[in-house]
Amino acid sequence: MPTYTVTIATGNQWFAGTDDYIYITLVGTERCSERTLLDKPLYNDFERGAVDSYDVRVGEDLGEIVLVKIEKKKYWVQDDWYCRYITVKTPSGDYVEFPCFRWLVDDKEVVLRDGRAHLPQDDKTSVVKQHRQKELDLRRKTYRWKEWQPGFPMSIDANRHKDLPRDIQFDSEKGVDFVLNYSKAIENLFVNQFMHMFQSSWSDFADFERIFVRIKNTISEYVMQHWREDFMFGYQFLNGCNPVVIRKCTKLPDKFPVTHEMVSVSLERELTLEQEIEAGNIYIVDYEVLDGITPNSTDPCTLQYLAAPICLLYKNAQNKILPIAIQLGQTPGKDTPIFLPTDGQYDWLLAKIWVRSADFQYHQTITHLLRTHLMTEVFAIAMYRQLPAVHPVYKLLIPHIRFTIAINTKAREQLICECGIFDKANATGGGGHVQLVQKAVKSLTFRSLCFPDMIKSRCVDSKEELPTYFYRDDVYANSTDEQFKVFVFSSRCLFYLPAEFPKSLKSREELTEYLTVVVFTASAQHAAVNFGQYDWCSWIPNAPSTMRRPPPNQKGITDVNLIIESLPDRGRSSWHLGAVWALSQYQENELYLGMYPDEHFIEKPVKAAMEKFRKQLAEITSTIKRRNEGKKLPYYNMSPDKIPNSVAV
């Protein structure tokens, strides 16, 4: 009798093993095997991390093995099982691989196709055609769209993490419980004594060190020491955790009536302001999107405020970016003065603090939440609904959406929901963050997610003009298409995205660009705007999460006391510190760019391309490390060894 040897690998994660009954059916081009129980006498089958082999005997040769059906039936109590892969050795000695990487829950069956990448036009038999369609039909019932808030990008139809399909849940929900993690952060930072001290102001700037000193690193400590300096203020627009808002100013907007006389003492080239603009030395940051957003009013004892400032920046003769004018509103007038470096030191300092607070709101809600987390979830759900597991694009993208839907669901459950953690300390809490996303979505385009287009649209693509824009340079250093060369195919994919996004892809070039956007958004871009949060935001005056006094409407009234009363109180400072610390932590057992332990691709050319890709990443890592040596402000957020594959925190 012909004998097929079946080898099954169980996952290594907690509770991956099972005591349930496991059955297998081999489906060949000629016939199917009998449904066979996989069980060895006096042996504990399918333990966590185990690789077990079994013989399946058949009456006649089955032909080419095209499908494997695995069934799990309850033994005593329901016991989930994670299957990594199945390998079938045929009677002729050939091996056929069937990647799985899925949970079998309840009395469930999974039908797997061999691991080679297949496009729809490759399917020639009714068996594989039907398998492709059944898989997608089931996926579309499982991964349903839902609009969490009007005007938001579509998300998964699940209210809680535990309602998600088991395959996309975290291995351990405790590890990503925001309430638990924030509490741990506050405990680790030794700020427990302050976390309930709302309405209690700090006594002076040095007093903030009482919650800062517990965790120090090179960048955060340097920020604490130099945050008042104009150089530090300007540098953060290039290499802080929100390096995506600065743009070259080609013409001063009418709403920002800065004159040459106002800023002449800040200019170094004996040129007028207009000439400096023409020479490309003037940059601008405009937080217009914050105009009209409702500030947090969840605490009746503390009024909180938002502003929509405009900041003019100057590239001096040493190529440093320095602020030269700040207006704390969108409507010019006597109640909206233009603050200058020549004003009183506290007038100028408070104006810069207001810009930093506005930047914090923009970063958290638009740059981070909307443009990485929420957009990657859209890509992830679309992938599950449109692409079967054998599609090469599915195989490419699956590592880059790992845990993204789970982390976003937890965020909607605990962080950005009504009365969530976001309301504790943020000026846009209590619904302002929802308004801000709704507003920002209206200007969200596909091209704005394409890094080269985004950089060029802001006219900051020249290394000669901005030689210390490391965020930009490191992205270009990471740009390699080796990962795509083997498996970019002409294809048409319909995704549920805003109207500005392409509805179809008609060439390899278009597909390559689209996949690059998805992978970049989920990996490198998220790393750039997420993991530096403790570095840049842990010193509270440098990135206030809220302001407790309205923006000044005249000059000459600001002193240290007004600044301290404007900054977050002790309680909100503690919550803010816990937040940026928790959000800056990598996942346990993090998978970084180039690490793909789940081998969805089995083809040798693809594996060779991936190995070449990993070598290129290692070279880039070494180059960035050398560049950072001796720097007081090293930039490492875009180093490949610091870039997780996916949005998972």
Side-chain angles (χ1 to χ4, degrees), residues 323-355:
I324 59 174
I326 294 172
Q327 181 177 289
L328 298 180
Q330 294 289 310
T331 305
K334 69 173 186 176
D335 292 333
T336 315
I338 296 176
F339 292 93
L340 307 168
T342 51
D343 293 335
Q345 63 169 318
Y346 295 122
D347 282 343
W348 182 235
L349 182 60
L350 183 56
K352 290 191 293 181
I353 289 173
W354 268 103
V355 173

Side-chain angles (χ1 to χ4, degrees), residues 283 315 319 455 459-470 472-474 476-477 623 627:
Y283 294 83
K315 184 185 72 172
N319 288 318
I455 288 291
C459 300
V460 290
D461 52 314
S462 171
K463 187 170 183 177
E464 291 183 358
E465 294 182 359
L466 289 175
T468 59
Y469 198 5
F470 303 129
R472 173 204 59 207
D473 299 341
D474 290 356
Y476 281 130
T623 299
R627 194 261 326 269

Side-chain angles (χ1 to χ4, degrees), residues 218-235:
T218 303
I219 293 178
S220 61
E221 190 168 14
Y222 193 86
V223 170
M224 179 192 71
Q225 295 167 350
H226 299 275
W227 69 281
R228 302 189 200 204
E229 299 171 16
D230 287 352
F231 160 73
M232 177 59 73
F233 178 88
Y235 180 85

Side-chain angles (χ1 to χ4, degrees), residues 108-120:
K108 181 181 179 181
E109 69 174 39
V110 170
V111 181
L112 305 173
R113 194 167 168 186
D114 76 271
R116 294 170 297 173
H118 296 279
L119 292 169

Side-chain angles (χ1 to χ4, degrees), residues 392-393 396 483-489 511 515 601 606 609-610:
V393 173
L396 170 66
Q483 206 178 6
F484 301 112
K485 283 182 179 176
V486 180
F487 36 78
V488 289
F489 300 96
L511 178 58
L515 295 177
F601 281 107
V606 179
M610 287 182 169

Side-chain angles (χ1 to χ4, degrees), residues 9 107 528:
D107 287 345

Side-chain angles (χ1 to χ4, degrees), residues 99-369:
C100 183
F101 306 110
R102 294 167 64 180
W103 286 94
L104 278 75
V105 299
D106 303 326
D107 287 345
K108 181 181 179 181
E109 69 174 39
V110 170
V111 181
L112 305 173
R113 194 167 168 186
D114 76 271
R116 294 170 297 173
H118 296 279
L119 292 169
Q121 56 265 36
D122 299 329
D123 295 346
K124 303 303 180 185
T125 67
S126 60
V127 171
V128 293
K129 288 179 180 179
Q130 290 171 12
H131 175 263
R132 182 184 291 264
Q133 189 59 51
K134 287 179 180 178
E135 181 181 4
L136 290 179
D137 289 345
L138 178 60
R139 291 256 204 87
R140 287 163 185 161
K141 293 177 182 177
T142 304
Y143 297 89
R144 302 176 303 278
W145 294 111
K146 180 180 179 180
E147 189 177 49
W148 183 67
Q149 293 282 351
F152 265 53
M154 298 294 279
S155 56
I156 196 73
D157 184 9
N159 294 324
R160 298 166 298 179
H161 178 267
K162 66 180 182 180
D163 299 331
L164 293 171
R166 184 69 182 89
D167 286 328
I168 60 171
Q169 290 183 21
F170 283 106
D171 294 334
S172 171
E173 188 175 355
K174 284 185 178 180
V176 288
D177 186 292
F178 284 109
V179 175
L180 181 62
N181 287 351
Y182 279 37
S183 299
K184 285 182 179 178
I186 288 168
E187 182 178 349
N188 291 339
L189 294 162
F190 290 85
V191 295
N192 312 57
Q193 59 181 313
F194 302 115
M195 63 180 294
H196 300 296
M197 296 176 68
F198 296 102
Q199 292 86 51
S200 174
S201 296
W202 301 95
S203 59
D204 52 34
F205 293 130
D207 203 19
F208 282 98
E209 292 187 45
R210 295 175 66 183
I211 63 169
F212 174 82
V213 72
R214 299 307 306 182
I215 295 182
K216 290 186 177 183
N217 63 36
T218 303
I219 293 178
S220 61
E221 190 168 14
Y222 193 86
V223 170
M224 179 192 71
Q225 295 167 350
H226 299 275
W227 69 281
R228 302 189 200 204
E229 299 171 16
D230 287 352
F231 160 73
M232 177 59 73
F233 178 88
Y235 180 85
Q236 292 177 76
F237 290 114
L238 299 179
N239 302 309
C241 53
N242 193 32
V244 298
V245 292
I246 186 173
R247 63 175 60 246
K248 185 177 289 185
C249 180
T250 56
K251 182 181 182 299
L252 278 173
D254 293 338
K255 64 182 180 179
F256 193 25
V258 180
T259 66
H260 172 71
E261 290 69 28
M262 290 179 182
V263 299
S264 60
V265 297
S266 297
L267 308 180
E268 299 180 354
R269 295 181 178 86
E270 298 185 0
L271 300 174
T272 66
L273 176 59
E274 185 61 36
Q275 289 170 331
E276 292 279 17
I277 291 174
E278 292 176 1
N281 297 321
I282 303 297
Y283 294 83
I284 193 169
V285 176
D286 187 352
Y287 297 95
E288 182 180 15
V289 70
L290 285 165
D291 194 32
I293 299 298
T294 305
N296 193 337
S297 61
T298 57
D299 181 357
C301 297
T302 302
L303 293 177
Q304 298 179 63
Y305 298 90
L306 288 166
I310 311 171
C311 179
L312 204 64
L313 300 153
Y314 175 60
K315 184 185 72 172
N316 72 5
Q318 291 76 42
N319 288 318
K320 293 181 179 180
I321 298 296
L322 304 173
I324 59 174
I326 294 172
Q327 181 177 289
L328 298 180
Q330 294 289 310
T331 305
K334 69 173 186 176
D335 292 333
T336 315
I338 296 176
F339 292 93
L340 307 168
T342 51
D343 293 335
Q345 63 169 318
Y346 295 122
D347 282 343
W348 182 235
L349 182 60
L350 183 56
K352 290 191 293 181
I353 289 173
W354 268 103
V355 173
R356 293 295 306 143
S357 184
D359 191 75
F360 180 84
Q361 311 305 329
Y362 188 106
H363 164 261
Q364 289 291 2
T365 305
I366 299 176
T367 304
H368 184 206
L369 174 63

Side-chain angles (χ1 to χ4, degrees), residues 372-623:
T372 63
H373 278 260
L374 299 185
M375 289 312 303
T376 303
E377 182 175 5
V378 172
F379 294 135
I381 300 171
M383 183 203 74
Y384 280 119
R385 290 175 58 86
Q386 301 294 338
L387 302 176
V390 296
H391 198 289
V393 173
Y394 177 95
K395 292 172 178 284
L396 170 66
L397 294 184
I398 190 68
H400 299 290
I401 54 90
R402 175 177 178 258
F403 297 149
T404 299
I405 299 175
I407 194 67
N408 287 0
T409 302
K410 290 295 290 185
R412 288 186 287 268
E413 186 180 348
Q414 296 181 324
L415 189 63
I416 60 174
C417 57
E418 186 175 357
C419 301
I421 294 174
F422 206 79
D423 291 354
K424 294 281 187 183
N426 286 22
T428 50
H433 60 299
V434 174
Q435 297 174 9
L436 196 50
V437 169
Q438 292 167 333
K439 206 170 180 181
V441 163
K442 295 176 182 178
S443 60
L444 177 63
T445 66
F446 174 72
R447 300 251 67 92
S448 72
L449 296 178
C450 299
F451 183 81
D453 297 73
M454 179 261 285
I455 288 291
K456 289 176 182 176
S457 71
R458 295 190 285 114
C459 300
V460 290
D461 52 314
S462 171
K463 187 170 183 177
E464 291 183 358
E465 294 182 359
L466 289 175
T468 59
Y469 198 5
F470 303 129
Y471 160 75
R472 173 204 59 207
D473 299 341
D474 290 356
V475 172
Y476 281 130
N478 277 299
S479 297
T480 171
D481 64 354
E482 289 298 330
Q483 206 178 6
F484 301 112
K485 283 182 179 176
V486 180
F487 36 78
V488 289
F489 300 96
S490 297
S491 153
R492 284 172 164 261
C493 302
L494 180 64
F495 292 146
Y496 197 110
L497 292 164
E500 293 291 334
F501 283 66
K503 288 291 191 292
S504 63
L505 306 171
K506 301 176 183 178
S507 68
R508 289 189 179 190
E509 290 73 20
E510 289 182 2
L511 178 58
T512 300
E513 180 181 56
Y514 205 103
L515 295 177
T516 302
V517 167
V518 177
V519 174
F520 172 73
T521 301
S523 57
Q525 181 65 6
H526 179 255
V529 303
N530 181 74
F531 294 105
Q533 290 188 71
Y534 185 81
D535 289 342
W536 297 101
C537 303
S538 57
W539 180 245
I540 307 297
N542 186 61
S545 61
T546 190
M547 297 292 278
R548 296 181 297 137
R549 293 289 184 272
N553 58 10
Q554 57 181 300
K555 299 183 181 183
I557 63 170
T558 302
D559 57 15
V560 172
N561 290 333
L562 178 58
I563 295 178
I564 295 297
E565 291 170 3
S566 298
L567 289 169
D569 55 39
R570 296 169 190 254
R572 289 178 176 83
S573 296
S574 299
W575 277 99
H576 166 87
L577 189 64
V580 298
W581 184 85
L583 291 171
S584 299
Q585 305 307 303
Y586 292 95
Q587 282 280 348
E588 187 179 357
N589 300 320
E590 188 73 79
L591 297 178
Y592 296 95
L593 204 59
M595 296 172 61
Y596 308 114
D598 293 352
E599 293 190 349
H600 291 271
F601 281 107
I602 66 169
E603 293 88 343
K604 290 182 179 179
V606 179
K607 290 185 177 182
M610 287 182 169
E611 184 57 33
K612 185 176 181 181
F613 179 60
R614 280 188 281 268
K615 290 180 180 178
Q616 290 174 328
L617 293 177
E619 292 172 2
I620 295 167
T621 298
S622 297
T623 299

